[in-house]
């Protein structure tokens, strides 16, 4: 099956700093999503981005499908950004998403 | 106005028992999923249903049996619970089964088997 690798595994930032999270995948995909799992365990969809660039407030994401990677940018980080960020990809056309191991982000005040 | 809801939120039970987790979505989506998140936060798909029909059935022990009475509901029944079944189980939904849509997750059910 498809392999998904996220980096870094852990990231600690001061409030206000910027960060870039990376997701590499081993095959072409028809779906790529970024999720944030907050400290209460809720999984929130951030972006559906199989290719191209999207922005939503302080967050933006870019997927370069031909090179099999995606980046999630967080600018001016806030303590509420803390949690685990997952990349999930699907190359099956059947909704079978494969999740990466996640990046655990801690934003300190 | 919850989009994807699950009950119960917490479930603590003894080994060998049988339990069910219920999931409902009010988004009008055709496709629903069950995922398992283990203690290391690793998320893995278990099943998906499209319009009450089983689409994805990953390598899951047959003690786990999903049931979809209609396209808005997908329940998970687990027989003969084992210690290793302890995890958080997430239900999700998406508009279609093509894998080209956003998936919306429920709040999760934390299952603890003693």
């Amino acid at each position: 099956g498809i392999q998904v690798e996220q980096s870094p595994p852990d990231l600690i930032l001061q409030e206000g700093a910027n960060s870039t999270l990376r997701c590499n995948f081993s095959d072409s995909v028809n779906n790529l999503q970024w999720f944030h799992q907050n400290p209460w365990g809720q999984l929130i969809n951030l972006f559906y981005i199989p290719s191209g660039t999207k922005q939503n407030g302080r967050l933006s994401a870019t997927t370069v499908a031909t090179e099999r990677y995606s980046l999630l940018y967080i600018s001016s980080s806030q303590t509420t950004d803390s949690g685990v960020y997952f990349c999930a990809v699907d190359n099956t056309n059947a909704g079978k998403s494969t999740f990466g191991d996640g990046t655990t982000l801690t934003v300190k005040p | 106005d919850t989009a994807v809801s699950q009950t119960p939120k917490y479930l603590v039970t003894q080994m060998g028992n049988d339990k069910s987790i219920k999931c409902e979505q009010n988004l009008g989506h055709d496709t629903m999923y069950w995922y398992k998140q283990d203690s290391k936060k690793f998320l893995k798909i278990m099943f998906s249903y499209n319009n009450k029909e089983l689409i994805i059935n990953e390598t899951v022990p047959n003690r786990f049996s999903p049931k979809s009475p209609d396209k808005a509901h997908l329940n998970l029944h687990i027989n003969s619970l084992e210690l290793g079944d302890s995890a958080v189980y997430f239900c999700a939904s998406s508009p279609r089964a093509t894998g080209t849509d956003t998936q919306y997750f429920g709040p999760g059910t934390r299952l603890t088997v003693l």
Side-chain angles (χ1 to χ4, degrees):
Chain A
I2 193 168
Q3 305 298 311
V4 184
E5 204 173 287
Q6 290 187 241
S7 59
D10 299 282
L11 187 56
I12 301 174
L13 300 174
Q14 280 305 125
E15 204 167 22
N18 302 329
S19 62
T20 302
L21 282 57
R22 188 177 179 104
C23 172
N24 292 336
F25 42 96
S26 61
D27 199 356
S28 54
V29 298
N30 54 281
N31 186 346
L32 188 145
Q33 301 175 81
W34 282 99
F35 291 91
H36 175 219
Q37 187 167 36
N38 64 26
W40 296 271
Q42 177 70 43
L43 274 161
I44 299 160
N45 187 285
L46 299 175
F47 294 102
Y48 165 75
I49 187 165
S51 64
T53 297
K54 289 187 178 179
Q55 178 149 11
N56 184 1
R58 296 180 297 103
L59 271 58
S60 64
T62 295
T63 297
V64 183
T66 51
E67 296 187 23
R68 299 182 185 169
Y69 72 88
S70 183
L71 302 173
L72 178 69
Y73 305 96
I74 305 173
S75 64
S76 304
S77 57
Q78 301 176 357
T79 55
T80 51
D81 295 331
S82 295
V84 184
Y85 289 80
F86 290 102
C87 167
V89 303
D90 179 12
N91 66 337
T92 65
N93 286 315
K96 183 180 165 184
S97 287
T98 298
F99 279 71
D101 288 349
T103 292
T104 300
L105 174 65
T106 303
V107 180
K108 296 189 169 183
Chain B
D1 61 343
T2 305
V4 183
S5 59
Q6 295 179 228
T7 53
K9 191 164 173 59
Y10 300 96
L11 188 50
V12 180
T13 188
Q14 299 286 333
M15 256 191 335
N17 284 349
D18 303 338
K19 290 292 177 186
S20 291
I21 306 171
K22 294 187 176 183
C23 178
E24 176 181 0
Q25 55 95 3
N26 63 5
L27 297 166
H29 289 169
D30 284 349
T31 309
M32 296 183 73
Y33 311 81
W34 279 110
Y35 285 85
K36 179 180 179 181
Q37 186 172 42
D38 65 21
S39 58
K40 295 183 180 177
K41 301 272 188 185
F42 185 62
L43 269 156
K44 187 169 167 54
I45 192 166
M46 300 171 71
F47 303 102
S48 81
Y49 271 72
N50 186 61
N51 267 321
K52 303 193 297 176
E53 184 182 333
L54 182 65
I55 300 292
I56 295 171
N57 186 354
E58 286 297 277
T59 309
V60 176
N62 56 15
R63 299 182 293 103
F64 290 78
S65 53
K67 283 191 171 50
S68 182
D70 55 61
K71 74 173 192 177
H73 295 84
L74 179 62
N75 303 324
L76 183 65
H77 188 76
I78 315 170
N79 288 329
S80 303
L81 278 155
E82 300 178 358
L83 293 176
D85 298 332
S86 295
V88 181
Y89 292 85
F90 285 97
C91 176
S93 73
S94 66
R96 298 166 297 180
T98 56
T100 52
D101 299 302
T102 298
Q103 290 184 0
Y104 297 86
F105 279 73
T109 295
R110 182 175 293 277
L111 171 65
T112 303
V113 182
L114 302 175

